[in-house]
Amino acid sequence: DAGITQSPRHKVTETGTPVTLRCHQTENHRYMYWYRQDPGHGLRLIHYSYGVKDTDKGEVSDGYSVSRSKTEDFLLTLESATSSQTSVYFCAISEGEIAGAGYNEQFFGPGTRLTVL
Amino acid sequence: KNQVEQSPQSLIILEGKNCTLQCNYTVSPFSNLRWYKQDTGRGPVSLTIMTFSENTKSNGRYTATLDADTKQSSLHITASQLSDSASYICVAYNQAGTALIFGKGTTLSVSS
């Protein structure tokens, strides 16, 4: 999985509790991404980062926040988890842009399965 | 509307046979298209990346084609193996990098 780890790998939590998922990379790649994958949907981008402290929203960012204080770590926080946030969350990295002027490859982590009861 | 549609939704083939998966996309302006393989319980792994100027790209037994005029791509798998059982995901990107559209995937099962 290209030097990407996600923690925890599985988590069960209750509605209304805060949850933080961690993505750690050892590749020193500039870009990091958080996606969610649900049955009947393709992967959907939540947030991404293009450098330390530089983040932007994706397609489904409501209810999520992110932080990146170090190149290697990208945190995804659910401030108050809801059942609709039950999903598999994938972190991804890329050395440069994946679209536009750049065609850099995107590498995905192993995923975190989150269940909100 | 930016979208990616894949067909078939699922496919079962015998080991050793060939198969072709389809992807129709609507992303504007188009930048590049990728095929990923996702094994159960794991993250997607890139198979091919193609820009609008490329028609064919191969990666071992995997060959992807792209027709930018009809906005269609296909992934052909030759001499399938049991390890090819996975979900295959088509992803289209626009030039601004603001539209990253993942298809829902085709689930391929290869049986012996």
Side-chain angles (χ1 to χ4, degrees):
Chain A
D1 292 319
I4 308 170
T5 56
Q6 293 185 233
S7 58
R9 293 294 313 280
H10 302 271
K11 185 171 182 66
V12 179
T13 190
E14 295 187 347
T15 298
T17 60
V19 176
T20 295
L21 308 183
R22 180 182 184 236
C23 177
H24 179 79
Q25 60 144 331
T26 58
E27 307 296 325
N28 200 36
H29 282 3
R30 178 183 174 189
Y31 288 76
M32 299 185 75
Y33 313 79
W34 278 107
Y35 292 90
R36 62 178 289 174
Q37 186 173 42
D38 304 291
H41 291 274
L43 281 149
R44 291 179 291 176
L45 182 65
I46 304 171
H47 281 279
Y48 68 98
S49 170
Y50 47 96
V52 174
K53 292 185 168 47
D54 293 322
T55 65
D56 206 348
K57 296 179 180 180
E59 175 188 1
V60 290
S61 60
D62 288 347
Y64 302 94
S65 63
V66 292
S67 65
R68 190 168 179 202
S69 58
K70 297 185 291 184
T71 298
E72 59 265 35
D73 289 325
F74 193 31
L75 303 180
L76 177 71
T77 298
L78 291 65
E79 301 291 347
S80 177
T82 67
S83 58
S84 64
Q85 294 176 312
T86 292
S87 186
V88 180
Y89 291 86
F90 286 98
C91 174
I93 65 173
S94 66
E95 191 169 11
E97 293 180 354
I98 58 175
Y103 307 116
N104 291 274
E105 189 166 349
Q106 200 173 29
F107 301 95
F108 286 82
T112 293
R113 182 172 294 277
L114 176 67
T115 303
V116 183
L117 302 176
Chain B
K1 178 183 177 182
N2 293 312
Q3 60 184 17
V4 170
E5 295 182 352
Q6 295 187 240
S7 62
Q9 184 175 354
S10 62
L11 183 62
I12 302 174
I13 62 174
L14 290 175
E15 186 179 14
K17 298 297 185 182
N18 304 334
C19 67
T20 299
L21 314 180
Q22 302 290 342
C23 173
N24 294 338
Y25 65 92
T26 306
V27 172
S28 183
F30 176 73
S31 172
N32 63 87
L33 184 141
R34 308 179 187 207
W35 284 93
Y36 288 87
K37 178 187 179 187
Q38 184 176 21
D39 293 316
T40 300
R42 306 197 67 172
V45 175
S46 178
L47 294 174
T48 64
I49 302 173
M50 288 190 295
T51 66
F52 65 89
S53 60
E54 297 176 296
N55 300 119
T56 303
K57 185 163 282 189
S58 293
N59 179 0
R61 294 180 297 102
Y62 301 101
T63 299
T65 65
L66 176 66
D67 186 332
D69 292 330
T70 62
K71 296 182 172 53
Q72 295 180 326
S73 177
S74 65
L75 181 69
H76 185 74
I77 304 175
T78 304
S80 61
Q81 300 176 358
L82 297 177
S83 60
D84 291 331
S85 295
S87 178
Y88 291 84
I89 302 170
C90 174
V91 190
Y93 298 79
N94 73 349
Q95 290 184 9
T98 55
L100 316 173
I101 310 299
F102 285 72
K104 297 176 183 179
T106 292
T107 300
L108 174 65
S109 299
V110 180
S111 60
S112 57

